[in-house]
Amino acid sequence: EPEVTQTPSHQVTQMGQEVILRCVPISNHLYFYWYRQILGQKVEFLVSFYNNEISEKSEIFDDQFSVERPDGSNFTLKIRSTKLEDSAMYFCASRRFGETGELFFGEGSRLTVL
Amino acid sequence: GESVGLHLPTLSVQEGDNSIINCAYSNSASDYFIWYKQESGKGPQFIIDIRSNMDKRQGQRVTVLLNKTVKHLSLQIAATQPGDSAVYFCAEKSSGNTPLVFGKGTRLSVIA
């Protein structure tokens, strides 16, 4: 069964450092997303990406965040200067179509900022 | 802003009983709803979805009910099993390439 894969599974970083989280969406999917989940809280939307550009972003996705699809398979989330409050699980998701249909999530990357 | 929320944060049920997890949503423009299951340390896993032109949809051991009049969504799990123990999230979206918005989650604990 096709799946969304994410690396690393866990990253520990110092405050102010740059972090890149990587995702390989399902190969025939066209819509890509990043969500985050602070421990014990709900899953929050960060950004959606389609046709090599951001479709929509939330208030959380400020200038410290960026996304990129550098090649035909990877989809990355970069945090330029991490803050303590960036500590969370970051989930990548993909969907074949934009309207409806199952949104497939990866297993997540746990980011711990010290 | 508009949001999706849940009535009950935790639910404990006996193995074999039926479970009902409820969700209230406030965005009247929402026309598509999904229930996700999240086990500890894992990503959300799709359970079942429903469009706003339906009021009921059944899957394997699960049923989703949608009441648009009161903006209420529920997930029914028949013959609950220990493997059903997880956090359940409802999520909604409106038409177009809009993001899925998640509710707060309900933890289901199945007592063997």
Side-chain angles (χ1 to χ4, degrees), chain A residues 2 8 13 15 26 28 32-33 38-39 41-42 52 54-55 59 62 64 73-74 77 84 94 98-100 108:
Chain A
T13 190
M15 189 169 55
I26 294 173
N28 65 348
F32 314 114
Y33 306 83
I38 295 171
L39 185 63
Q41 299 188 22
K42 67 179 181 180
N52 286 318
I54 291 174
S55 305
E59 293 177 352
D62 61 22
Q64 292 301 310
S73 59
N74 290 287
L77 174 69
L84 295 176
S94 70
E99 285 280 345
T100 59

PDB file of all heavy atoms in Angstrom, chain A residues 2 8 13 15 26 28 32-33 38-39 41-42 52 54-55 59 62 64 73-74 77 84 94 98-100 108:
ATOM      1  N   PRO A   2       0.591   2.205  -0.865  1.00  0.00           N
ATOM      2  CA  PRO A   2       1.406   3.426  -0.916  1.00  0.00           C
ATOM      3  C   PRO A   2       1.278   4.203   0.382  1.00  0.00           C
ATOM      4  O   PRO A   2       0.223   4.195   1.026  1.00  0.00           O
ATOM      5  CB  PRO A   2       0.817   4.199  -2.093  1.00  0.00           C
ATOM      6  CG  PRO A   2      -0.547   3.654  -2.278  1.00  0.00           C
ATOM      7  CD  PRO A   2      -0.493   2.237  -1.847  1.00  0.00           C
ATOM      8  N   PRO A   8      13.420  13.404   9.419  1.00  0.00           N
ATOM      9  CA  PRO A   8      13.692  12.330  10.364  1.00  0.00           C
ATOM     10  C   PRO A   8      12.460  12.024  11.207  1.00  0.00           C
ATOM     11  O   PRO A   8      11.503  12.780  11.196  1.00  0.00           O
ATOM     12  CB  PRO A   8      14.796  12.949  11.231  1.00  0.00           C
ATOM     13  CG  PRO A   8      14.462  14.412  11.244  1.00  0.00           C
ATOM     14  CD  PRO A   8      13.915  14.710   9.876  1.00  0.00           C
ATOM     15  N   THR A  13      17.035  20.004  18.297  1.00  0.00           N
ATOM     16  CA  THR A  13      17.823  21.127  17.820  1.00  0.00           C
ATOM     17  C   THR A  13      17.869  22.223  18.875  1.00  0.00           C
ATOM     18  O   THR A  13      17.035  22.268  19.784  1.00  0.00           O
ATOM     19  CB  THR A  13      17.250  21.676  16.504  1.00  0.00           C
ATOM     20  OG1 THR A  13      18.156  22.618  15.935  1.00  0.00           O
ATOM     21  CG2 THR A  13      15.912  22.363  16.742  1.00  0.00           C
ATOM     22  N   MET A  15      17.584  26.158  19.978  1.00  0.00           N
ATOM     23  CA  MET A  15      16.815  27.340  19.597  1.00  0.00           C
ATOM     24  C   MET A  15      17.658  28.225  18.665  1.00  0.00           C
ATOM     25  O   MET A  15      18.854  28.424  18.897  1.00  0.00           O
ATOM     26  CB  MET A  15      16.439  28.111  20.854  1.00  0.00           C
ATOM     27  CG  MET A  15      15.473  29.236  20.651  1.00  0.00           C
ATOM     28  SD  MET A  15      14.872  29.867  22.232  1.00  0.00           S
ATOM     29  CE  MET A  15      16.384  30.259  23.082  1.00  0.00           C
ATOM     30  N   ILE A  26       2.830  10.415  -1.631  1.00  0.00           N
ATOM     31  CA  ILE A  26       2.459   9.306  -2.512  1.00  0.00           C
ATOM     32  C   ILE A  26       2.614   9.757  -3.963  1.00  0.00           C
ATOM     33  O   ILE A  26       2.229  10.880  -4.310  1.00  0.00           O
ATOM     34  CB  ILE A  26       1.029   8.836  -2.188  1.00  0.00           C
ATOM     35  CG1 ILE A  26       1.025   8.248  -0.784  1.00  0.00           C
ATOM     36  CG2 ILE A  26       0.546   7.816  -3.212  1.00  0.00           C
ATOM     37  CD1 ILE A  26      -0.347   7.897  -0.247  1.00  0.00           C
ATOM     38  N   ASN A  28       1.457   9.529  -7.060  1.00  0.00           N
ATOM     39  CA  ASN A  28       0.512  10.120  -8.011  1.00  0.00           C
ATOM     40  C   ASN A  28      -0.363  11.201  -7.380  1.00  0.00           C
ATOM     41  O   ASN A  28      -1.369  11.616  -7.964  1.00  0.00           O
ATOM     42  CB  ASN A  28      -0.351   9.031  -8.653  1.00  0.00           C
ATOM     43  CG  ASN A  28      -1.247   8.334  -7.638  1.00  0.00           C
ATOM     44  OD1 ASN A  28      -1.076   8.496  -6.427  1.00  0.00           O
ATOM     45  ND2 ASN A  28      -2.184   7.557  -8.125  1.00  0.00           N
ATOM     46  N   PHE A  32      -0.251  18.702  -1.523  1.00  0.00           N
ATOM     47  CA  PHE A  32       0.621  18.374  -0.408  1.00  0.00           C
ATOM     48  C   PHE A  32       0.390  19.353   0.736  1.00  0.00           C
ATOM     49  O   PHE A  32       0.096  20.528   0.503  1.00  0.00           O
ATOM     50  CB  PHE A  32       2.089  18.412  -0.852  1.00  0.00           C
ATOM     51  CG  PHE A  32       2.328  17.710  -2.152  1.00  0.00           C
ATOM     52  CD1 PHE A  32       2.719  18.409  -3.277  1.00  0.00           C
ATOM     53  CD2 PHE A  32       2.141  16.339  -2.257  1.00  0.00           C
ATOM     54  CE1 PHE A  32       2.916  17.762  -4.484  1.00  0.00           C
ATOM     55  CE2 PHE A  32       2.335  15.685  -3.466  1.00  0.00           C
ATOM     56  CZ  PHE A  32       2.718  16.397  -4.582  1.00  0.00           C
ATOM     57  N   TYR A  33       0.551  18.840   1.932  1.00  0.00           N
ATOM     58  CA  TYR A  33       0.211  19.618   3.113  1.00  0.00           C
ATOM     59  C   TYR A  33       1.231  19.374   4.223  1.00  0.00           C
ATOM     60  O   TYR A  33       1.805  18.282   4.319  1.00  0.00           O
ATOM     61  CB  TYR A  33      -1.172  19.216   3.654  1.00  0.00           C
ATOM     62  CG  TYR A  33      -2.274  19.293   2.638  1.00  0.00           C
ATOM     63  CD1 TYR A  33      -2.499  18.246   1.739  1.00  0.00           C
ATOM     64  CD2 TYR A  33      -3.115  20.402   2.569  1.00  0.00           C
ATOM     65  CE1 TYR A  33      -3.509  18.315   0.796  1.00  0.00           C
ATOM     66  CE2 TYR A  33      -4.138  20.468   1.632  1.00  0.00           C
ATOM     67  CZ  TYR A  33      -4.329  19.420   0.748  1.00  0.00           C
ATOM     68  OH  TYR A  33      -5.333  19.490  -0.184  1.00  0.00           O
ATOM     69  N   ILE A  38       1.056  20.004  18.478  1.00  0.00           N
ATOM     70  CA  ILE A  38       1.721  20.160  19.763  1.00  0.00           C
ATOM     71  C   ILE A  38       1.200  19.059  20.680  1.00  0.00           C
ATOM     72  O   ILE A  38       0.027  18.672  20.595  1.00  0.00           O
ATOM     73  CB  ILE A  38       1.462  21.562  20.333  1.00  0.00           C
ATOM     74  CG1 ILE A  38       2.122  22.601  19.410  1.00  0.00           C
ATOM     75  CG2 ILE A  38       1.992  21.694  21.745  1.00  0.00           C
ATOM     76  CD1 ILE A  38       1.779  24.027  19.725  1.00  0.00           C
ATOM     77  N   LEU A  39       2.061  18.550  21.538  1.00  0.00           N
ATOM     78  CA  LEU A  39       1.733  17.394  22.367  1.00  0.00           C
ATOM     79  C   LEU A  39       0.392  17.551  23.067  1.00  0.00           C
ATOM     80  O   LEU A  39       0.159  18.529  23.786  1.00  0.00           O
ATOM     81  CB  LEU A  39       2.838  17.176  23.398  1.00  0.00           C
ATOM     82  CG  LEU A  39       2.704  15.927  24.272  1.00  0.00           C
ATOM     83  CD1 LEU A  39       2.784  14.668  23.425  1.00  0.00           C
ATOM     84  CD2 LEU A  39       3.757  15.905  25.360  1.00  0.00           C
ATOM     85  N   GLN A  41      -2.479  18.162  21.827  1.00  0.00           N
ATOM     86  CA  GLN A  41      -3.425  19.099  21.241  1.00  0.00           C
ATOM     87  C   GLN A  41      -3.887  18.604  19.871  1.00  0.00           C
ATOM     88  O   GLN A  41      -3.529  17.534  19.432  1.00  0.00           O
ATOM     89  CB  GLN A  41      -2.789  20.485  21.168  1.00  0.00           C
ATOM     90  CG  GLN A  41      -2.412  21.042  22.541  1.00  0.00           C
ATOM     91  CD  GLN A  41      -1.962  22.485  22.484  1.00  0.00           C
ATOM     92  OE1 GLN A  41      -2.285  23.215  21.540  1.00  0.00           O
ATOM     93  NE2 GLN A  41      -1.217  22.903  23.491  1.00  0.00           N
ATOM     94  N   LYS A  42      -4.693  19.407  19.238  1.00  0.00           N
ATOM     95  CA  LYS A  42      -5.252  18.980  17.960  1.00  0.00           C
ATOM     96  C   LYS A  42      -4.261  19.197  16.834  1.00  0.00           C
ATOM     97  O   LYS A  42      -3.238  19.872  16.982  1.00  0.00           O
ATOM     98  CB  LYS A  42      -6.551  19.723  17.666  1.00  0.00           C
ATOM     99  CG  LYS A  42      -6.388  21.209  17.419  1.00  0.00           C
ATOM    100  CD  LYS A  42      -7.742  21.840  17.113  1.00  0.00           C
ATOM    101  CE  LYS A  42      -7.607  23.307  16.834  1.00  0.00           C
ATOM    102  NZ  LYS A  42      -8.921  23.940  16.533  1.00  0.00           N
ATOM    103  N   ASN A  52       3.449  23.464  -7.569  1.00  0.00           N
ATOM    104  CA  ASN A  52       4.707  24.133  -7.235  1.00  0.00           C
ATOM    105  C   ASN A  52       4.550  25.500  -6.579  1.00  0.00           C
ATOM    106  O   ASN A  52       5.463  26.343  -6.658  1.00  0.00           O
ATOM    107  CB  ASN A  52       5.611  24.256  -8.463  1.00  0.00           C
ATOM    108  CG  ASN A  52       6.225  22.928  -8.836  1.00  0.00           C
ATOM    109  OD1 ASN A  52       6.666  22.170  -7.975  1.00  0.00           O
ATOM    110  ND2 ASN A  52       6.246  22.626 -10.124  1.00  0.00           N
ATOM    111  N   ILE A  54       2.465  27.627  -3.038  1.00  0.00           N
ATOM    112  CA  ILE A  54       1.613  27.557  -1.861  1.00  0.00           C
ATOM    113  C   ILE A  54       0.188  27.938  -2.252  1.00  0.00           C
ATOM    114  O   ILE A  54      -0.042  28.960  -2.893  1.00  0.00           O
ATOM    115  CB  ILE A  54       2.143  28.493  -0.756  1.00  0.00           C
ATOM    116  CG1 ILE A  54       3.458  27.941  -0.204  1.00  0.00           C
ATOM    117  CG2 ILE A  54       1.119  28.640   0.358  1.00  0.00           C
ATOM    118  CD1 ILE A  54       4.140  28.872   0.787  1.00  0.00           C
ATOM    119  N   SER A  55      -0.768  27.087  -1.873  1.00  0.00           N
ATOM    120  CA  SER A  55      -2.178  27.363  -2.136  1.00  0.00           C
ATOM    121  C   SER A  55      -2.798  28.162  -1.001  1.00  0.00           C
ATOM    122  O   SER A  55      -3.562  29.093  -1.224  1.00  0.00           O
ATOM    123  CB  SER A  55      -2.953  26.052  -2.278  1.00  0.00           C
ATOM    124  OG  SER A  55      -2.378  25.229  -3.251  1.00  0.00           O
ATOM    125  N   GLU A  59      -2.049  31.136   9.956  1.00  0.00           N
ATOM    126  CA  GLU A  59      -1.337  32.189  10.694  1.00  0.00           C
ATOM    127  C   GLU A  59      -0.051  31.669  11.318  1.00  0.00           C
ATOM    128  O   GLU A  59       0.872  32.430  11.568  1.00  0.00           O
ATOM    129  CB  GLU A  59      -2.255  32.740  11.790  1.00  0.00           C
ATOM    130  CG  GLU A  59      -3.450  33.494  11.243  1.00  0.00           C
ATOM    131  CD  GLU A  59      -4.386  33.956  12.351  1.00  0.00           C
ATOM    132  OE1 GLU A  59      -4.178  33.552  13.518  1.00  0.00           O
ATOM    133  OE2 GLU A  59      -5.319  34.707  12.049  1.00  0.00           O
ATOM    134  N   ASP A  62       4.457  31.531   9.455  1.00  0.00           N
ATOM    135  CA  ASP A  62       4.973  32.887   9.268  1.00  0.00           C
ATOM    136  C   ASP A  62       6.261  32.857   8.449  1.00  0.00           C
ATOM    137  O   ASP A  62       6.592  31.850   7.829  1.00  0.00           O
ATOM    138  CB  ASP A  62       5.177  33.550  10.636  1.00  0.00           C
ATOM    139  CG  ASP A  62       6.186  32.813  11.501  1.00  0.00           C
ATOM    140  OD1 ASP A  62       7.033  32.073  10.962  1.00  0.00           O
ATOM    141  OD2 ASP A  62       6.127  32.978  12.734  1.00  0.00           O
ATOM    142  N   GLN A  64       9.205  32.556   9.140  1.00  0.00           N
ATOM    143  CA  GLN A  64      10.228  31.594   9.542  1.00  0.00           C
ATOM    144  C   GLN A  64      10.054  30.240   8.852  1.00  0.00           C
ATOM    145  O   GLN A  64      10.953  29.416   8.867  1.00  0.00           O
ATOM    146  CB  GLN A  64      10.180  31.384  11.059  1.00  0.00           C
ATOM    147  CG  GLN A  64      10.600  32.602  11.852  1.00  0.00           C
ATOM    148  CD  GLN A  64      12.015  33.032  11.524  1.00  0.00           C
ATOM    149  OE1 GLN A  64      12.950  32.231  11.526  1.00  0.00           O
ATOM    150  NE2 GLN A  64      12.195  34.314  11.229  1.00  0.00           N
ATOM    151  N   SER A  73       9.884  14.232  -6.135  1.00  0.00           N
ATOM    152  CA  SER A  73       9.399  13.335  -5.097  1.00  0.00           C
ATOM    153  C   SER A  73       9.393  13.954  -3.704  1.00  0.00           C
ATOM    154  O   SER A  73       8.497  13.678  -2.922  1.00  0.00           O
ATOM    155  CB  SER A  73      10.238  12.053  -5.082  1.00  0.00           C
ATOM    156  OG  SER A  73      11.604  12.345  -4.837  1.00  0.00           O
ATOM    157  N   ASN A  74      10.346  14.807  -3.376  1.00  0.00           N
ATOM    158  CA  ASN A  74      10.428  15.328  -2.019  1.00  0.00           C
ATOM    159  C   ASN A  74       9.610  16.595  -1.820  1.00  0.00           C
ATOM    160  O   ASN A  74       9.435  17.400  -2.737  1.00  0.00           O
ATOM    161  CB  ASN A  74      11.893  15.621  -1.666  1.00  0.00           C
ATOM    162  CG  ASN A  74      12.699  14.361  -1.516  1.00  0.00           C
ATOM    163  OD1 ASN A  74      12.561  13.638  -0.539  1.00  0.00           O
ATOM    164  ND2 ASN A  74      13.526  14.064  -2.511  1.00  0.00           N
ATOM    165  N   LEU A  77       9.762  20.991   4.547  1.00  0.00           N
ATOM    166  CA  LEU A  77       9.367  22.107   5.403  1.00  0.00           C
ATOM    167  C   LEU A  77      10.626  22.604   6.089  1.00  0.00           C
ATOM    168  O   LEU A  77      11.319  21.833   6.753  1.00  0.00           O
ATOM    169  CB  LEU A  77       8.335  21.663   6.437  1.00  0.00           C
ATOM    170  CG  LEU A  77       7.938  22.708   7.482  1.00  0.00           C
ATOM    171  CD1 LEU A  77       7.129  23.839   6.840  1.00  0.00           C
ATOM    172  CD2 LEU A  77       7.126  22.066   8.611  1.00  0.00           C
ATOM    173  N   LEU A  84      11.361  27.761  20.866  1.00  0.00           N
ATOM    174  CA  LEU A  84      10.919  26.695  21.771  1.00  0.00           C
ATOM    175  C   LEU A  84       9.513  26.217  21.407  1.00  0.00           C
ATOM    176  O   LEU A  84       9.228  25.016  21.453  1.00  0.00           O
ATOM    177  CB  LEU A  84      10.946  27.180  23.218  1.00  0.00           C
ATOM    178  CG  LEU A  84      12.320  27.514  23.801  1.00  0.00           C
ATOM    179  CD1 LEU A  84      12.174  28.076  25.216  1.00  0.00           C
ATOM    180  CD2 LEU A  84      13.223  26.293  23.801  1.00  0.00           C
ATOM    181  N   SER A  94      -0.692  14.078   1.895  1.00  0.00           N
ATOM    182  CA  SER A  94      -0.909  14.295   0.466  1.00  0.00           C
ATOM    183  C   SER A  94      -2.257  13.743   0.052  1.00  0.00           C
ATOM    184  O   SER A  94      -2.839  12.869   0.705  1.00  0.00           O
ATOM    185  CB  SER A  94       0.213  13.660  -0.368  1.00  0.00           C
ATOM    186  OG  SER A  94       0.174  12.248  -0.347  1.00  0.00           O
ATOM    187  N   GLY A  98      -7.944  17.768  -4.987  1.00  0.00           N
ATOM    188  CA  GLY A  98      -8.020  18.837  -4.015  1.00  0.00           C
ATOM    189  C   GLY A  98      -9.340  18.944  -3.282  1.00  0.00           C
ATOM    190  O   GLY A  98      -9.407  19.414  -2.169  1.00  0.00           O
ATOM    191  N   GLU A  99     -10.411  18.485  -3.911  1.00  0.00           N
ATOM    192  CA  GLU A  99     -11.736  18.707  -3.338  1.00  0.00           C
ATOM    193  C   GLU A  99     -12.025  17.770  -2.171  1.00  0.00           C
ATOM    194  O   GLU A  99     -12.243  18.210  -1.057  1.00  0.00           O
ATOM    195  CB  GLU A  99     -12.798  18.493  -4.426  1.00  0.00           C
ATOM    196  CG  GLU A  99     -12.877  19.632  -5.407  1.00  0.00           C
ATOM    197  CD  GLU A  99     -13.670  20.804  -4.855  1.00  0.00           C
ATOM    198  OE1 GLU A  99     -14.386  20.629  -3.846  1.00  0.00           O
ATOM    199  OE2 GLU A  99     -13.541  21.900  -5.402  1.00  0.00           O
ATOM    200  N   THR A 100     -12.066  16.525  -2.437  1.00  0.00           N
ATOM    201  CA  THR A 100     -12.382  15.547  -1.395  1.00  0.00           C
ATOM    202  C   THR A 100     -11.495  14.325  -1.576  1.00  0.00           C
ATOM    203  O   THR A 100     -10.618  14.311  -2.409  1.00  0.00           O
ATOM    204  CB  THR A 100     -13.853  15.110  -1.488  1.00  0.00           C
ATOM    205  OG1 THR A 100     -14.083  14.551  -2.783  1.00  0.00           O
ATOM    206  CG2 THR A 100     -14.794  16.277  -1.271  1.00  0.00           C
ATOM    207  N   GLY A 108       4.914  11.272  10.818  1.00  0.00           N
ATOM    208  CA  GLY A 108       5.289  12.464  11.557  1.00  0.00           C
ATOM    209  C   GLY A 108       6.767  12.561  11.852  1.00  0.00           C
ATOM    210  O   GLY A 108       7.484  11.557  11.901  1.00  0.00           O
TER     211      GLY A 108
END
